[in-house]
Every structure is written in C-alpha cells, then in structure tokens.
Amino acid sequence: MKILILIALFAISLVSIDNAFAEEAKTPIKMKIGIEIMNIGEINKETGAYELFFWVSETSDDYDFTKQPPPIIDYENGYVEEITAISVKEHFYKFKARGTFFNAMDYREHPFNKLNLAIHIKSVIPNTLDNLQFEVDQKFSGIRKESFVSVPGWEIKDPYFFVSNQTYPWGEFSRFSAVVPVESSTTGVILKYFVPAILIAAFAFSTYWIPASYSDEKIEILAATLVGAIFYHVTYLSAGIPSVQYLTFADKVMLSLYTVFGMSLLNVLLHKKLEHELKENYTVLVERNLNIKFRILTPIFAIIVLLITIMI
C-alpha cells in the first residue's frame, strides 16, 4: 500500500514538473521591431526591385543583447548588402542597413504606376512563434522627412507597419512588415505620356477641316500620324515595363485614340464614295454636313472604346 502511495506521489510530481516547463515554454520573448527609412534608391519597374537605406531597431525587456547575440532574422523579400553603425545596449539593438528588395507590380494602371516598397522581416528556426514574437515599435518606425528622402518621378505616401504570422510545414513564425507606398506623379504622367499622344491624334482629327478635294493630302497626314502614334505607343508608352498579357491603361488610351484615325480614314472613303455616286450633286454643303457628323461622332466613339476597354 505504501509503495502504491509513493508511486502516485512520484507521478503527480512528474506531472507538476512537466506543467511548469510547459508554462515556461509557452511564454515567448516579446521583441519590438522598428524600421526607419532613411533614403530610397533606384526603383526598377521591370523587375519590381528597389534599393532602401534604413535603420533597424530591436527592443525587448526579455532579451539581454549584451550577453547573447540578437536573434537571426530573415529578409523574406530581399537581401541586405551592408550593415553599419551597430549600437548595442542591454535591451536595445540597432543598426543601419542598405539592401535590395523585391515586390510584385501590377501594370494594369501603367503609366500611373503604384508600388509598395516593403521590407518583410521574419524569425527563423529555432525561434518559432512559441519562442519569439515581434511587435511594432512605433517610436522607431517611420520615414525621415528630410528633403533627401525622395525618388524622382514618384510621390511618397505615408508608410505603415504591421505584424503577421507566417505558417510553413516546419513551423509558424512571426513576421514584421514595413511598407512605403509610392505612386507615379499624376501631373508628370499626363504631361509626359498622354499630351503627346493626344496631340498626334489631333492632327488626324484636323483633317475634318480639309476639303475633300485634297483627299490625297489627307491620307498622307493620316498615314504619317498613325505610324507616329504606333511608334510612340510601342517604344515610349510601353518602355520600362515587361511584356504583359493584359492591357495597361496606356494601351486602352491608345486604342481609343486609334479610333480617331479609323474614323478619319472612314471620312475620306465616304467622301470618295459620295463624290463618285452623286457626281455633280456632290456639293460643298454635303461635304460640310458629313464632316460635322464625323466631328461629333469621332470623340463619342473614342470615349465608348475607352470605356469598353476599361470595363473588360
């Protein structure tokens, strides 16, 4: 009987020890991560690559950086090429880094491009979510407001920071993300990309004011401007982005402008047809009325084509 009691007490003590260890193991290290963007380098629209200069800070009351090295972190969407200005205190670790990162780009709104300049930092084995959890350190997160933090041709929006959990077959890990949204300058895009294209189409539209007797000259103007529009579309509007299998906004605008060339050519052919059929009855009034109709219908058809391409 005494032996059974001793065995029971021993089993209870083992369970208590296991529970104590389990409770201790369930208490992960809380570490605050902060990223302050110092500068933004070149942005490659073709590959979605971008260069960033930034400070990284790690703060934790549960971790002594003077007695053990900081936990290894993985830059999921890029790599750090240089680390400088390392600062170590008991519960604080900070360094300056320069790295190249990558993010997916959606070119459907090109040339009104938008890109999230993101840095994803993830813990690695053995620091699974049970052992290490990241938190956002708002005090050391942000972007410098000095004038040198700029990217020519891009507008920098307000950054944001968040923590998420990433699950893999080998474990679940904490991930800190810093995101700096940038957008193409709207004014610059309109002036550099669309104004020249509209001016080229305007030459084709101007043929409605040229008398039908100069049909050969009208065809020459249409041919020259159409070739110019195609060349501008292929070599300039589509430059700087990879070949994609969907229509960009620039493609949709150009398709609507091609409608102007098509309508202008149709106008010339109808004048030729009426001139042949009506002969002496083909008067200046008939010609003028036809041109007026085309001046009204052409922009309507161009807008319809643009709306259809936007909807599909």
Side-chain angles (χ1 to χ4, degrees), residues 33-34 46 53 56 61 67-68 100 103 115 123 189 192 195 212 233 240-241 252 255 257 259 294 310:
I33 303 293
E46 291 192 34
F53 301 81
V56 178
D61 294 332
K67 294 181 179 180
Q68 53 189 333
T100 300
N103 207 356
L115 178 62
S123 60
V189 166
K192 290 179 60 178
V195 169
H233 182 190
I241 64 171
K252 297 172 182 179
L255 285 175
L257 293 181
T259 306
F294 269 82
I310 290 175

Side-chain angles (χ1 to χ4, degrees), residues 39 90 150 170 220 226:
N39 204 353
E90 184 178 359
S150 62
W170 50 88
E220 289 178 0
L226 178 59

Side-chain angles (χ1 to χ4, degrees), residues 9-299:
L9 291 173
F10 181 72
I12 292 172
S13 64
L14 286 178
V15 171
S16 300
I17 293 172
D18 289 341
N19 289 337
F21 277 112
E23 289 178 2
E24 184 179 354
K26 289 180 180 178
T27 305
I29 295 173
K30 302 287 187 179
M31 185 166 293
K32 291 184 177 181
I33 303 293
I35 287 184
E36 184 179 16
I37 305 297
M38 301 297 295
N39 204 353
I40 301 172
E42 180 184 1
I43 298 177
N44 190 324
K45 291 187 292 184
E46 291 192 34
T47 61
Y50 45 91
E51 185 180 34
L52 294 175
F53 301 81
F54 55 97
W55 285 97
V56 178
S57 64
E58 302 175 16
T59 308
S60 176
D61 294 332
D62 306 324
Y63 201 94
D64 190 345
F65 293 98
T66 60
K67 294 181 179 180
Q68 53 189 333
I72 298 174
I73 56 177
D74 175 43
Y75 296 91
E76 279 193 307
N77 62 321
Y79 54 90
V80 168
E81 301 173 277
E82 183 181 8
I83 293 178
T84 58
I86 299 175
S87 176
V88 181
K89 295 182 180 180
E90 184 178 359
H91 299 295
F92 182 77
Y93 181 77
K94 188 174 184 178
F95 61 89
K96 187 177 181 180
R98 176 178 63 87
T100 300
F101 301 88
F102 302 85
N103 207 356
M105 285 194 69
D106 189 347
Y107 300 98
R108 287 179 173 84
E109 296 184 14
H110 174 78
F112 295 100
N113 297 305
K114 297 180 180 180
L115 178 62
N116 288 328
L117 306 183
I119 301 176
H120 299 300
I121 295 178
K122 181 180 69 66
S123 60
V124 297
I125 295 175
N127 293 319
T128 58
L129 193 63
D130 296 333
N131 301 323
L132 178 64
Q133 293 182 5
F134 291 149
E135 297 177 350
V136 176
D137 193 341
Q138 298 291 350
K139 180 180 178 181
F140 295 105
S141 297
I143 184 169
R144 292 283 294 274
K145 299 299 182 182
E146 282 81 351
S147 59
F148 60 81
V149 185
S150 62
V151 187
W154 296 86
E155 296 178 353
I156 303 175
K157 304 300 180 180
D158 292 333
Y160 56 93
F161 310 87
F162 62 93
V163 172
S164 59
N165 298 334
Q166 299 295 306
T167 303
Y168 301 91
W170 50 88
E172 189 174 10
F173 302 87
S174 186
R175 184 175 80 167
F176 171 89
S177 298
V179 182
V180 181
V182 295
E183 300 178 3
S184 300
S185 172
T186 302
T187 303
V189 166
I190 293 175
L191 294 177
K192 290 179 60 178
Y193 289 92
F194 293 122
V195 169
I198 293 173
L199 288 176
I200 294 174
F203 279 99
F205 190 78
S206 67
T207 57
Y208 293 144
W209 282 266
I210 299 177
S213 57
Y214 295 94
S215 57
D216 292 340
E217 288 79 1
K218 293 172 70 172
I219 292 176
E220 289 178 0
I221 293 174
L222 291 174
T225 52
L226 178 59
V227 170
I230 295 174
F231 181 81
Y232 180 80
H233 182 190
V234 174
T235 62
Y236 189 72
L237 277 182
S238 301
I241 64 171
S243 178
V244 292
Q245 302 304 313
Y246 51 79
L247 292 177
T248 66
F249 184 73
D251 295 328
K252 297 172 182 179
V253 171
M254 290 306 299
L255 285 175
S256 69
L257 293 181
Y258 291 146
T259 306
V260 177
F261 295 95
M263 293 292 289
S264 300
L265 180 59
L266 179 62
N267 175 265
V268 174
L269 296 178
L270 284 178
H271 277 302
K272 285 286 187 180
K273 181 176 181 294
L274 292 175
E275 186 179 10
H276 176 74
E277 291 178 350
L278 299 179
K279 296 183 179 3
E280 65 275 0
N281 294 325
Y282 181 73
T283 62
V284 175
L285 181 61
V286 174
E287 176 185 341
R288 184 182 302 164
N289 290 335
L290 183 61
N291 285 337
I292 292 174
K293 291 179 181 178
F294 269 82
R295 292 171 196 167
I296 298 173
L297 290 175
T298 297

